[in-house]
Amino acid sequence: MSDPEVLDRILQTCSFRSRDVVCPNKDKIASITAAKFHVEDDEDWSVLECSLQPDGEVNCAMSCLLRDFDKNN
């Protein structure tokens, strides 16, 4: 079983966002969840879940879905 304190510290170092975006490869709306780790100031967002992929599968951080992600708070 995971230590709740360790899990809490991990969650405190991350930002999570969920958003619907247009997938440029499939021309469909994708519901995504992305995370950004606050280890360094220049960290990028990474897609954790995408409705157009099977559960738990993502491709190469799917940066095509994250254009202007910081601007769309």
Side-chain angles (χ1 to χ4, degrees):
M1 179 160 47
S2 297
D3 182 346
E5 279 187 44
V6 172
L7 184 58
D8 189 50
R9 276 187 270 148
I10 291 170
L11 292 175
Q12 287 177 18
T13 62
C14 302
S15 291
F16 295 93
R17 292 191 187 153
S18 295
R19 184 165 294 145
D20 290 341
V21 295
V22 176
C23 175
N25 298 326
K26 296 187 178 184
D27 241 1
K28 294 181 178 181
I29 297 291
S31 297
I32 64 169
T33 299
K36 182 176 186 177
F37 297 97
H38 301 290
V39 178
E40 294 183 22
D41 290 335
D42 62 345
E43 286 291 322
D44 291 329
W45 288 92
S46 294
V47 175
L48 301 176
E49 288 289 330
C50 175
S51 63
L52 301 179
Q53 297 288 333
D55 285 346
E57 290 186 28
V58 293
N59 276 337
C60 306
M62 304 176 98
S63 59
C64 60
L65 299 176
L66 297 172
R67 290 187 189 118
D68 302 322
F69 203 71
D70 279 320
K71 296 176 187 175
N72 298 325
N73 293 332

